[in-house]
Amino acid sequence: NATVTELAAERLRRAGADVLILQEFDPRLAGLQASVLLSLHADSCIDASGYKAAHHPLSPLSTSEDQLVACINHFYPAATGLTEHSNTITHNMTDYHAFRVIDRQTPAAIMEMGFLGGDQDLLVNHPEIAAQGIADSLLCFLQQESEPNPASSEP
């Protein structure tokens, strides 16, 4: 996870983004005000393949966070070749602890980048591919958030 995160952060910084990498229980999450928070994880070691992304369903920013997930669902599979594994999105994802401590105006999502069982080769041996999909997803979201009239539903 750390390698993918660092590589994605490098890509985002080269594109002009200000990136802060935090640990899962980082005290800086409390009240965090940011353009976006994406919490990156790798799913279990079962023999399955795919990624998934979610946000808190009762978030006051659900429209914006729906767009974040839409950007992920467009760019991450395009880069990685993984398919969405949405039928395994759990309550632990949609009620992720960080969603409750960040500033309520910070759009946020959680992402399982792949399964350690079926997607280990991608995540361990080709982290730059996952990082490209993540960076492209976040740039998509940030670009749409900065547009004066983000009426389009396309990523």
Side-chain angles (χ1 to χ4, degrees):
N1 291 357
T3 301
V4 173
T5 301
E6 289 291 340
L7 291 170
E10 286 176 26
R11 286 178 168 272
L12 291 163
R13 288 180 182 122
R14 283 196 305 266
D18 184 18
V19 179
L20 177 63
I21 297 174
L22 304 170
Q23 297 298 314
E24 182 174 4
F25 293 99
D26 198 303
R28 295 174 291 176
L29 283 166
L32 178 73
Q33 296 178 342
S35 299
V36 64
L37 170 73
L38 181 59
S39 185
L40 298 173
H41 301 261
D43 214 327
S44 66
C45 292
I46 63 172
D47 188 23
S49 180
Y51 77 95
K52 54 193 166 191
H55 64 83
H56 194 287
L58 301 177
S59 168
L61 303 174
S62 63
T63 300
S64 180
E65 291 168 340
D66 284 344
Q67 189 58 51
L68 173 57
V69 171
C71 285
I72 293 167
N73 287 340
H74 179 79
F75 286 96
Y76 193 73
T80 63
L82 295 180
T83 58
E84 184 181 12
H85 206 272
S86 61
N87 62 333
T88 58
I89 292 174
T90 65
H91 176 74
N92 288 339
M93 287 182 70
T94 58
D95 194 31
Y96 185 57
H97 65 89
F99 297 161
R100 294 186 301 263
V101 299
I102 61 174
D103 184 273
R104 292 179 53 86
Q105 295 305 309
T106 297
I110 183 171
M111 180 178 180
E112 298 282 357
M113 300 178 289
F115 286 86
L116 287 174
D119 304 315
Q120 185 174 18
D121 182 59
L122 169 73
L123 298 173
V124 174
N125 298 323
H126 305 285
E128 70 283 354
I129 294 172
Q132 175 188 342
I134 291 162
D136 291 348
S137 298
L138 288 169
L139 290 170
C140 162
F141 175 75
L142 292 169
Q143 179 182 8
Q144 290 183 5
E145 288 294 294
S146 68
E147 292 176 357
N149 185 8
S152 172
S153 61
E154 292 295 314

